[in-house]
Amino acid sequence: MTVALARLEPDDLVVDVGCGGGEAIREAAARVPEGKAIGVDPSAAMMRIARELSDSHAGRKRIEFVEGRAEKLPLPDASATVVVAINSLHHWENAAAGLAEVMRVLRPDGRLLVTDEEAEPDKFGHGDGDLTDPARVLAIIKDAGFVDVCFSKHTEGDVRMLAVTARKDVV
Ligand SMILES: C[S@@+](CC[C@H](N)C(=O)[O-])C[C@H]1O[C@@H](n2cnc3c(N)ncnc32)[C@H](O)[C@@H]1O
């Protein structure tokens, strides 16, 4: 659902922060035949599983997994056109620091998409921290300097998803 919502262009360079086993990266790689899909996760075990699961993927040459955390993304400045964080933001130790890093690695006009499965009505994530509150998620993304920050809700079958889309300004 998140990758469909991202409306990727063929040459996008997509980064998934907190990618886990890399499902969204494999989905994204199929949609960026001239681009690249990079998954970042602090769990070495997850990165190993993600690489194994991606070995036989048709787009494996466009897929990369890098161990790292949101607060110190192992990526160069202005290197990504799209960053996604799926069921991930509320796991970050420091969301503000992570969003500053997302801002750094995005190119001007690059897009951020934060999504979480809606386990409880109108709440992000499965935890009980302040990032379960959509208003708080919108606020920290705005505070990080993103523009065009929008909240939306999506349903597919039994799955309900909350999403925030945002953009890095060109100036
Ligand atoms: C619930 S899983 C979501 C995995 C995947 N995005 C998905 O939706 O299937 C949360 C992921 O966030 C990762 N994570 C935890 N702390 C993180 C941090 N500081 N920065 C980035 N990712 C982190 C975890 O290792 C885990 O893989």
Side-chain angles (χ1 to χ4, degrees):
M1 280 170 89
T2 301
V3 175
L5 191 63
R7 295 196 189 89
L8 298 173
E9 298 291 336
D11 60 351
D12 268 326
L13 196 149
V14 189
V15 175
D16 181 2
V17 182
C19 65
E23 187 181 350
I25 283 296
R26 288 183 289 282
E27 188 67 38
R31 297 171 189 232
V32 294
E34 299 150 31
K36 201 164 179 187
I38 301 175
V40 177
D41 200 284
S43 161
M46 273 299 172
M47 292 294 78
R48 195 171 57 248
I49 290 166
R51 288 188 190 104
E52 281 171 16
L53 290 173
S54 305
D55 261 358
S56 57
H57 189 276
R60 66 186 173 283
K61 289 199 173 79
R62 298 188 297 279
I63 293 176
E64 199 180 320
F65 291 104
V66 192
E67 202 175 315
R69 46 188 67 248
E71 296 83 355
K72 194 168 188 266
L73 288 173
L75 299 167
D77 295 356
S79 54
T81 58
V82 178
V83 172
V84 301
I86 306 167
N87 296 325
S88 160
L89 183 74
H90 58 281
H91 287 272
W92 302 359
E93 275 163 37
N94 184 331
L99 288 166
E101 276 290 272
V102 171
M103 187 63 106
R104 179 184 67 76
V105 304
L106 270 176
R107 290 182 195 161
D109 214 29
R111 295 180 291 124
L112 168 66
L113 178 52
V114 174
T115 63
D116 259 7
E117 197 172 333
E118 189 185 24
E120 278 184 64
D122 296 317
K123 281 191 171 182
F124 272 90
H126 297 75
D128 57 4
D130 66 349
L131 290 181
T132 56
D133 178 0
R136 179 78 192 119
V137 175
L138 283 165
I140 61 162
I141 292 174
K142 284 180 186 162
D143 287 350
F146 286 91
V147 296
D148 299 339
V149 183
C150 296
F151 173 68
S152 56
K153 295 172 92 171
H154 307 266
T155 304
E156 195 176 286
D158 292 341
V159 180
R160 298 187 315 271
M161 185 180 88
L162 302 183
V164 177
T165 55
R167 189 173 61 80
K168 176 175 175 172
D169 216 346
V170 178
V171 285

